[in-house]
């Protein structure tokens, strides 16, 4: 049998399609996000590229860490890409976002470049925080970083939402934390204030099923994190499906912008790596469990299958994106391993925004520092 291969033009592809997504569980809500959602071909390609970039970036970080080029704490986000991409698809870059230390993906969606993120991981001058923050402390416009203290970003996020309300610019703050942080007392204090003051904040619990090495069932008397706000309405969302997250975030954002106050979203997701690079991730769960999630509900594979089965892209086109992404990651890794480290005299800069006091913990900010090593 002879196979005829014809060159396909973009006109041959479906411009947009409707997809059925999993119904969200709701708490204290009369309505729920739609279960039928529309995605255009352009959106699909964009989501695919972004998720693939995040995945490859984390895999490269894993490699560099094992080579001892990245040191210290390093918490990888691979497996959870649909959360970040779905949220960003339904809010604006003028809105605000704050998260915990699993922050590389959000730094990228908020406008940081792969080059800046990789260089920050290796502690170089060209890093997004000038090589001083490392894995856990990255920032860009309207992104208030990864925060190293468990749960501490939640009250900070409510503070950002309070500023949004005062300034009256119809902006909101997305405030993310993990299932491990969900039992922190400061989170419940924040729920109370946010509800009292009707703050435009979307609390997002990224439930990846394990807080460090402890499963949610062993850590929480109630694993219905979306109901934990009690008097705050909540949604439980399939966090592995980018379209489901997008639709739920759109619903939540409209709730906030209409002046109804805070809303809580629990995104049921999964991390492929351990809690951090010092955790192999297989002492408290089986390799088979990880493999099953990868094979049945990987966010990138799910999106790819949808696009191919609805004639929204070709296998060759997606492969081309993969090649471009890999090249971008390799170039960034090359930069991150050759860029110089920040000089010693930079150590005390950027501690204060302006008019720094002369002594900071006994150190004069402008004194010449000398290495004694």
């Amino acid at each position: 049998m002879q196979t005829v291969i014809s060159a396909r033009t973009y006109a041959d592809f479906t411009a947009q399609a409707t997809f059925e997504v999993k119904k969200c569980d709701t708490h204290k809500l009369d309505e729920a996000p739609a279960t039928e959602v529309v995605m255009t071909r352009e959106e699909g390609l964009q989501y695919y590229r972004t998720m693939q970039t995040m995945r490859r970036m984390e895999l490269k970080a894993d490699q560099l860490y094992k080579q001892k080029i990245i040191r210290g704490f390093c918490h990888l986000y691979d497996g959870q890409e649909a959360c970040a991409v779905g949220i960003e698809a339904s809010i604006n870059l003028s809105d605000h976002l704050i998260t915990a230390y699993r922050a590389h993906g959000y730094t990228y969606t908020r406008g940081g470049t792969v080059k800046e993120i990789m260089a920050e991981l290796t502690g170089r001058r060209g890093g997004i925080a000038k090589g001083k923050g490392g894995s856990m402390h990255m920032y860009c416009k309207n992104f208030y970083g990864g925060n190293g203290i468990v749960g501490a970003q939640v009250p900070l996020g409510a503070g950002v939402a309070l500023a949004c309300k005062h300034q009256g610019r119809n902006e909101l703050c997305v405030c993310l934390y993990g299932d491990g942080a969900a039992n922190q007392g400061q989170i419940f204090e924040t729920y109370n204030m946010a509800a009292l003051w009707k703050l435009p904040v979307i609390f997002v619990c990224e439930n990846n099923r394990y807080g460090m090495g402890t499963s949610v069932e062993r850590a929480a008397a109630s694993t219905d994190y979306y109901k934990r706000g009690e008097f705050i309405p909540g949604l439980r969302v399939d966090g592995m499906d980018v379209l489901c997250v997008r639709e739920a975030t759109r619903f939540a954002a409209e709730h906030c912008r209409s002046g109804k106050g805070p809303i809580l979203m629990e995104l049921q997701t999964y991390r492929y790596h351990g809690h951090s690079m010092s955790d192999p991730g297989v002492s408290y769960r089986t390799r088979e469990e990880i493999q099953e999630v990868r094979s049945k509900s990987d966010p990138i594979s799910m999106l790819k299958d949808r696009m191919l089965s609805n004639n929204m892209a070709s296998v060759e086109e997606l492969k081309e994106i993969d090649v471009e992404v890999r090249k971008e990651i390799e170039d960034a890794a090359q930069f991150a391993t050759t860029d110089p480290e920040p000089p010693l005299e930079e150590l005390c800069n950027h501690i204060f925004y302006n008019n720094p006091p002369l002594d900071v913990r006994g150190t004069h900010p402008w004194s010449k520092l000398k290495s004694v090593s």
Side-chain angles (χ1 to χ4, degrees):
M1 191 178 85
Q2 191 182 10
T3 309
V4 180
I5 300 170
S6 61
R8 297 173 70 183
T9 65
Y10 289 127
D12 296 334
F13 292 117
T14 308
Q16 67 174 48
T18 304
F19 300 92
E20 190 75 28
V21 297
K22 193 174 167 187
K23 187 177 185 293
C24 296
D25 297 319
T26 60
H27 170 67
K28 285 194 176 297
L29 286 164
D30 299 325
E31 295 177 319
T35 53
E36 278 200 354
V37 302
V38 173
M39 179 178 76
T40 66
R41 174 178 138 78
E42 279 67 33
E43 286 169 343
L45 290 172
Q46 184 55 55
Y47 302 158
Y48 181 81
R49 182 182 289 271
T50 307
M51 288 200 287
Q52 199 63 283
T53 303
M54 288 161 78
R55 174 74 55 90
R56 292 275 150 212
M57 183 168 72
E58 296 298 58
L59 293 176
K60 179 52 77 174
D62 171 74
Q63 192 186 336
L64 293 175
Y65 198 96
K66 285 168 179 165
Q67 292 169 355
K68 293 190 167 60
I69 294 167
I70 294 173
R71 300 294 189 107
F73 291 104
C74 185
H75 306 82
L76 303 180
Y77 197 70
D78 49 322
Q80 300 184 209
E81 295 90 353
C83 298
V85 176
I87 287 170
E88 292 286 16
S90 286
I91 62 169
N92 310 316
L93 280 172
S94 55
D95 289 317
H96 308 263
L97 195 141
I98 188 166
T99 187
Y101 39 71
R102 204 175 297 282
H104 311 158
Y106 288 100
T107 310
Y108 179 65
T109 60
R110 288 270 97 190
T113 65
V114 178
K115 205 173 174 179
E116 289 171 326
I117 296 165
M118 296 301 292
E120 190 56 45
L121 287 169
T122 56
R124 306 305 171 110
R125 210 161 53 185
I128 200 154
K130 302 187 190 302
K132 297 179 180 184
S135 170
M136 296 201 285
H137 308 290
M138 300 187 182
Y139 311 88
C140 38
K141 189 169 169 59
N142 299 334
F143 175 55
Y144 307 91
N147 290 260
I149 306 298
V150 176
Q153 70 278 12
V154 180
L156 296 177
V160 173
L162 179 63
C164 291
K165 187 167 182 172
H166 269 302
Q167 290 165 356
R169 290 207 295 253
N170 201 24
E171 292 167 2
L172 56 83
C173 182
V174 175
C175 182
L176 298 115
Y177 55 97
D179 51 276
N183 304 314
Q184 274 272 337
Q186 59 192 324
I187 289 179
F188 296 92
E189 294 177 40
T190 306
Y191 288 165
N192 185 54
M193 293 173 85
L196 276 174
W197 297 344
K198 284 194 160 33
L199 300 182
V201 57
I202 305 174
F203 294 112
V204 180
C205 176
E206 288 186 295
N207 175 8
N208 61 26
R209 291 169 37 185
Y210 298 95
M212 296 190 78
T214 308
S215 69
V216 290
E217 292 80 15
R218 289 178 59 220
S222 166
T223 56
D224 289 339
Y225 295 104
Y226 72 111
K227 292 181 180 174
R228 291 277 198 95
E230 195 181 346
F231 35 77
I232 294 173
L235 293 166
R236 181 158 58 192
V237 184
D238 180 357
M240 300 301 270
D241 181 349
V242 68
L243 295 182
C244 200
V245 177
R246 185 188 77 173
E247 199 53 41
T249 307
R250 184 174 291 158
F251 179 93
E254 282 170 11
H255 177 95
C256 285
R257 293 193 211 278
S258 65
K260 291 178 188 166
I263 189 166
L264 204 164
M265 287 203 308
E266 174 191 344
L267 305 182
Q268 293 189 311
T269 184
Y270 198 81
R271 56 171 160 82
Y272 295 154
H273 267 87
H275 168 72
S276 71
M277 285 303 296
S278 56
D279 165 23
V282 288
S283 56
Y284 49 86
R285 58 180 180 176
T286 62
R287 290 182 195 277
E288 290 72 35
E289 178 186 301
I290 302 166
Q291 202 44 52
E292 189 181 5
V293 177
R294 275 186 186 277
S295 61
K296 289 185 180 170
S297 50
D298 181 77
I300 299 174
S301 301
M302 277 168 68
L303 177 66
K304 183 179 182 177
D305 292 347
R306 273 179 174 153
M307 292 190 74
L308 293 176
S309 57
N310 284 272
N311 189 39
M312 297 179 88
S314 67
V315 175
E316 297 75 32
E317 189 177 16
L318 296 179
K319 270 191 182 152
E320 210 171 287
I321 291 174
D322 295 348
V323 170
E324 287 168 12
V325 166
R326 282 182 194 219
K327 185 181 185 316
E328 185 185 3
I329 303 299
E330 285 306 324
D331 290 350
Q334 179 63 30
F335 174 73
T337 50
T338 54
D339 191 48
E341 291 181 358
L344 190 63
E345 56 269 20
E346 280 270 299
L347 187 64
C348 294
N349 292 351
H350 310 111
I351 294 176
F352 288 88
Y353 168 59
N354 55 11
N355 300 330
L358 283 179
D359 283 289
V360 179
R361 297 189 186 95
T363 302
H364 190 293
W366 295 282
S367 62
K368 277 280 181 200
L369 295 160
K370 291 180 177 64
S371 174
V372 292
S373 61

